[in-house]
Amino acid sequence: MRDMMSAGMRGVSVVTDGGSARPDGGSDQTGGMSAGMRDGKAPGGENGGPLLTARELSVEFSLYRKGLSQTRLTAVRSLSLDARRGEILAVIGSSGAGKSLLAGAILGILPANALVKGELLYNGEVLTPASQRQYRGTEIVLIPQSVDYLDPLMRAGKQVAGARGDKKGQREAFKRYGLDPRAERMFPFQLSGGMARRMLIAAAVITKPQLIVADEPTAGLDGELALETLRHFRQLADGGAAILLITHDIDLALAAADRIAVFYAGTVVEIAPAADFRQGKAALRHPYSKALIDALPGNAFTPITGTQPPPDHLPPGCLFADRCAGRRPACDGEIAPRALRGGEVKCLYAT
Amino acid sequence: MSGAVNITGAAGADGIAGADGIAGAEGIAGIAGIAGVVARMLLLLFLVSVLTFVLIVNAPIDPLISYIGAESTLSPAAREDIARHWGLSDPLPERYLRWVGNIAQGDFGMSITYKRPVIQVIRERFTYSLALMALAWAFSGLLGYAAGIWAGLRKGGLFDRAIKLFCLVLQSAPTFWLGLLILSVFSVWLGWFPIGMAAPAGKLAAEVTLSDRIHHLILPVCTLTVVSAGKMVLFTRQKLIEIMDSDYILFARARGESEGQLVFRHILRNTALPAVTLQFSSFSELFGGMALAETVFSYPGIGTATAAAALNGDAPLLLGIAGISALFVFSGNLTANILYSVVDPRLREEKSYV
């Protein structure tokens, strides 16, 4: 068990990082507690180990334009990341970067014209459409953005139980998230924003999932409710689940995540401990991550020049090259992710 | 001749159908709501009766000639006596008001065509038509809904393309043409069903059995069903495709629901509500289709009576039928509205207690 932990050296250090450096006081407590829990009763040393690994993942869409001419649209390209047990990994990136497609690819619910290439490993096993069908809704779950993802004509109780849960589990989930039993009989339109959010989380955890993919789970929530949601995520991570938090909100990622993956034009350009992001741009690796930090209102507030390349006109090499000040000829070639200072970066010249 | 009958019938029915916008109402609740409904209904009846009255009076048909026959040897003096007795030469507003006054006392007048009280004719005819319409309504609703669901689930498949083409052809095919087609194939060519009427010719009314009636009903019901189902198929199919694209279906998929579970847990519920509403608000089309189908199959219902009344300048009967059909369509729309607010929780229940 110890051997496994030390083998995943990076993982261990990151976990510690995430535990101690969490910003808000409330979670700090849980963080400290969770660190203890991880050391104490991590089953088989699994906490901190990768549960989901994406290797060179691509999502392409074939579109028909004007008659029979077919266009390939590469929405996700050569994306690699890993989600570990007991950890919240935030995937941040601007809107329209294709972050939600990552969730779709993991769950196997992309539209029929989507083509997924590369490899997804779940618990060391390659995810196939058949195994995705088996796992989704049980071991791998999605927490969606809003109450719009609930059937408008189905009562909340039945909805939280879902097709794979039962009444007993639903009652427990209601209790766990402080939902009034009367709310069982309510329809989605009757739920307040906070209740709806807790319902969506309750619906996700009813099957005791291993991997939780949360797609913009705090969209439209005010500060207090967003923090409450994040506390729930932390609890779930402490319970041993791996959480993939997809968001465009950097502050949210900073507040909640153990590690942060920066998503740009369909790929992950950098993965780093959240502490690095909190330290500022000097601790970061990729020029885009640095620019992202600079663009924050609390910092220089300087926008990045240029725009993200559209998915039908991706440059051959580095996707950020067009907007990068440090661009060199080699940037037009293939760029593989490499390990750097306890993180991972997709840049030839990052230091 | 038959063509002319059809056109008159259709125009009458469509004119009535046009008025159903008035019946389109918001939620009905409380005494004020009921009073509003009644007021709208009375307004509708008034407008329909005035329109019908103006049309029939200005039609190039002399009710007197159609009563006594074009070849009649009746003296001009006797004709004038009848005209005066009927009040044909009185000013129009006076004639209309007299009719309204009689209606208020429960007297719908005598039908010139059938030489019987209008109320009797309508009651008898409406019974026949109601059987026809009720069956066609139920079948077209159920079959159309099922076909729409199936086509939508297998969008782009063989069944979907076939049924879509079929429905589009039907939507553009005149009802009487379809009726004639069905009639010539199944009655004339194959000889499986009687050519027309509601009972075997020459059989005493007392001897007509239920199976006789059903046998005579099958073709008109089929025609009307096929005509009415097209809209339901296309509507349900469209609705299903819309729902399949919705966030809550995506989420249900993400939660591991199979296609069968998607259908039975979400799709049926979410499509049935608008479908039922559509079916209730389609009473006007049903009525128009019924009039045409009856004419083709010489079925002695309200549709053939409408055509006969229009062709004979039979003002009392036509007014009576117009009123009844307006009420019929109005009640359909009203039912659709009430049903929606009763069945749809978003309209029925309180917003939230939080």
Side-chain angles (χ1 to χ4, degrees):
Chain A
M1 180 174 143
R2 273 284 130 199
D3 289 355
M4 281 186 74
M5 293 290 269
S6 55
M9 197 49 204
R10 217 175 28 178
V12 173
S13 74
V14 166
V15 164
T16 325
D17 260 331
S20 57
R22 211 158 292 117
D24 69 296
S27 327
D28 229 340
Q29 221 177 359
T30 28
M33 214 174 71
S34 71
M37 274 170 61
R38 274 184 206 116
D39 290 340
K41 53 171 218 184
E46 278 182 337
N47 263 12
L51 179 65
L52 177 94
T53 311
R55 270 189 217 141
E56 294 289 302
L57 187 73
S58 294
V59 179
E60 289 177 7
F61 287 92
S62 42
L63 296 177
Y64 289 94
R65 278 185 192 161
K66 275 182 203 149
L68 292 175
S69 82
Q70 202 183 11
T71 328
R72 274 273 162 87
L73 209 135
T74 310
V76 172
R77 195 170 95 171
S78 314
L79 179 149
S80 299
L81 57 73
D82 58 325
R84 302 168 188 169
R85 291 178 201 276
E87 181 194 82
I88 299 177
L89 171 67
V91 176
I92 59 168
S94 55
S95 309
K99 301 187 299 291
S100 296
L101 293 172
L102 176 61
I106 294 169
L107 287 152
I109 51 167
L110 291 171
N113 65 336
L115 178 69
V116 180
K117 288 181 187 163
E119 208 173 36
L120 277 169
L121 294 173
Y122 174 72
N123 234 344
E125 154 198 355
V126 176
L127 273 182
T128 60
S131 60
Q132 280 173 327
R133 255 199 304 283
Q134 181 197 337
Y135 291 138
R136 68 174 173 242
T138 52
E139 290 196 19
I140 305 179
V141 297
L142 174 73
I143 297 181
Q145 293 187 20
S146 72
V147 71
D148 293 345
Y149 286 77
L150 294 178
D151 184 334
L153 296 183
M154 191 185 267
R155 292 186 193 275
K158 207 176 161 200
Q159 200 134 212
V160 165
R164 296 187 159 187
D166 56 7
K167 189 115 194 144
K168 191 168 152 275
Q170 175 250 310
R171 291 251 157 95
E172 278 168 19
F174 263 52
K175 212 172 193 176
R176 179 170 172 188
Y177 290 106
L179 288 159
D180 192 322
R182 277 179 300 172
E184 267 177 27
R185 302 282 304 155
M186 291 169 95
F187 289 97
F189 79 99
Q190 295 170 309
L191 302 173
S192 69
M195 282 175 87
R197 186 68 45 191
R198 279 176 272 159
M199 292 271 180
L200 292 173
I201 299 177
V205 302
I206 199 158
T207 52
K208 313 246 181 318
Q210 302 294 305
L211 174 63
I212 298 169
V213 182
D215 188 6
E216 302 281 4
T218 55
L221 287 192
D222 58 33
E224 187 46 47
L225 283 175
L227 281 179
E228 184 200 313
T229 307
L230 296 184
R231 274 196 291 276
H232 291 317
F233 286 157
R234 178 53 63 194
Q235 281 170 5
L236 290 167
D238 290 346
I243 293 172
L244 195 64
L245 174 68
I246 297 174
T247 180
H248 70 276
D249 186 344
I250 300 177
D251 289 330
L252 176 81
L254 287 176
D258 298 311
R259 284 186 306 143
I260 295 178
V262 180
F263 196 89
Y264 179 79
T267 198
V268 167
V269 293
E270 173 169 1
I271 305 180
D276 288 2
F277 282 81
R278 284 191 283 268
Q279 266 179 43
K281 70 187 236 187
L284 294 177
R285 296 149 192 84
H286 197 276
Y288 178 66
S289 315
K290 292 175 192 260
L292 214 53
I293 293 292
D294 267 347
L296 285 180
N299 298 338
F301 208 8
T302 44
I304 319 165
T305 52
T307 50
Q308 220 168 196
D312 50 345
H313 286 103
L314 290 186
C318 172
L319 298 174
F320 187 66
D322 283 345
R323 302 167 78 179
C324 185
R327 180 177 189 168
R328 281 174 239 180
C331 294
D332 291 333
E334 193 85 358
I335 318 273
R338 62 192 175 98
L340 183 68
R341 289 191 281 115
E344 210 170 84
V345 66
K346 242 187 172 181
C347 175
L348 296 173
Y349 305 105
T351 49
Chain B
M1 193 59 209
S2 144
V5 171
N6 282 328
I7 289 159
T8 328
D14 282 351
I16 294 157
D20 67 36
I22 300 168
E26 318 76 47
I28 298 118
I31 295 172
I34 293 168
V37 168
V38 172
R40 272 203 303 277
M41 187 186 75
L42 290 177
L43 181 68
L44 172 71
L45 288 177
F46 170 71
L47 291 176
V48 164
S49 63
V50 167
L51 188 70
T52 315
F53 188 71
V54 170
L55 282 176
I56 189 85
V57 166
N58 289 305
I61 301 160
D62 187 347
L64 194 58
I65 301 288
S66 53
Y67 182 64
I68 58 177
E71 311 288 310
S72 171
T73 52
L74 220 57
S75 72
R79 290 176 187 218
E80 239 168 69
D81 274 350
I82 298 175
R84 200 174 320 115
H85 176 69
W86 281 356
L88 287 181
S89 42
D90 296 343
L92 288 186
E94 198 187 316
R95 286 173 63 188
Y96 179 75
L97 286 177
R98 199 184 310 138
W99 178 79
V100 172
N102 288 340
I103 293 289
Q105 290 167 29
D107 177 11
F108 283 72
M110 292 288 285
S111 160
I112 301 173
T113 320
Y114 299 100
K115 301 181 176 65
R116 286 163 60 202
V118 164
I119 200 80
Q120 250 183 44
V121 175
I122 290 182
R123 192 176 299 148
E124 181 193 309
R125 294 277 176 150
F126 211 71
T127 316
Y128 282 106
S129 295
L130 217 54
L132 170 62
M133 286 193 291
L135 289 171
W137 185 79
F139 289 145
S140 67
L142 293 174
L143 295 176
Y145 181 70
I149 292 283
W150 189 251
L153 282 177
R154 300 274 174 274
K155 185 180 147 197
L158 192 64
F159 178 76
D160 179 39
R161 278 179 291 167
I163 195 98
K164 216 167 76 185
L165 184 70
F166 183 66
C167 290
L168 290 174
V169 168
L170 278 180
Q171 298 266 300
S172 42
T175 308
F176 70 88
W177 174 81
L178 187 80
L180 286 173
L181 201 70
I182 290 180
L183 188 71
S184 45
V185 171
F186 293 99
S187 295
V188 180
W189 191 27
L190 295 171
W192 291 354
F193 296 101
I195 300 260
M197 314 300 283
K203 214 170 182 181
L204 285 176
E207 292 171 0
V208 175
T209 60
L210 185 66
S211 71
D212 280 337
R213 293 197 185 283
I214 291 172
H215 197 211
H216 281 77
L217 253 177
I218 290 176
L219 284 191
V221 166
C222 284
T223 308
L224 194 51
T225 300
V226 167
V227 168
S228 319
K231 202 171 160 188
M232 177 60 88
V233 174
L234 294 177
F235 175 83
T236 307
R237 177 185 176 277
Q238 191 54 40
K239 199 81 203 162
L240 183 136
I241 290 170
E242 242 169 63
I243 289 177
M244 276 309 217
D245 266 348
S246 71
D247 289 339
Y248 61 87
I249 291 296
L250 183 77
F251 185 46
R253 269 191 217 281
R255 298 187 74 193
E257 292 190 19
S258 65
E259 192 182 27
Q261 284 171 322
L262 290 180
V263 170
F264 285 102
R265 288 170 58 89
H266 308 287
I267 290 171
L268 288 187
R269 196 191 311 240
N270 278 285
T271 48
L273 195 58
V276 168
T277 311
L278 174 81
Q279 195 64 354
F280 271 104
S281 53
S282 71
F283 273 20
S284 58
E285 284 96 338
L286 185 71
F287 202 90
M290 174 274 290
L292 294 170
E294 283 190 358
T295 312
V296 172
F297 292 97
S298 328
Y299 188 80
I302 209 89
T304 37
T306 313
L311 286 175
N312 290 323
D314 190 345
L317 182 57
L318 201 64
L319 281 167
I321 291 174
I324 289 291
S325 56
L327 272 184
F328 178 74
V329 172
F330 184 85
S331 62
N333 286 321
L334 189 66
T335 313
N337 277 329
I338 294 175
L339 211 62
Y340 220 112
S341 50
V342 168
V343 179
D344 192 330
R346 284 163 293 191
L347 297 177
R348 182 188 62 212
E349 290 192 15
E350 290 295 307
K351 178 84 177 86
S352 170
Y353 68 83
V354 188

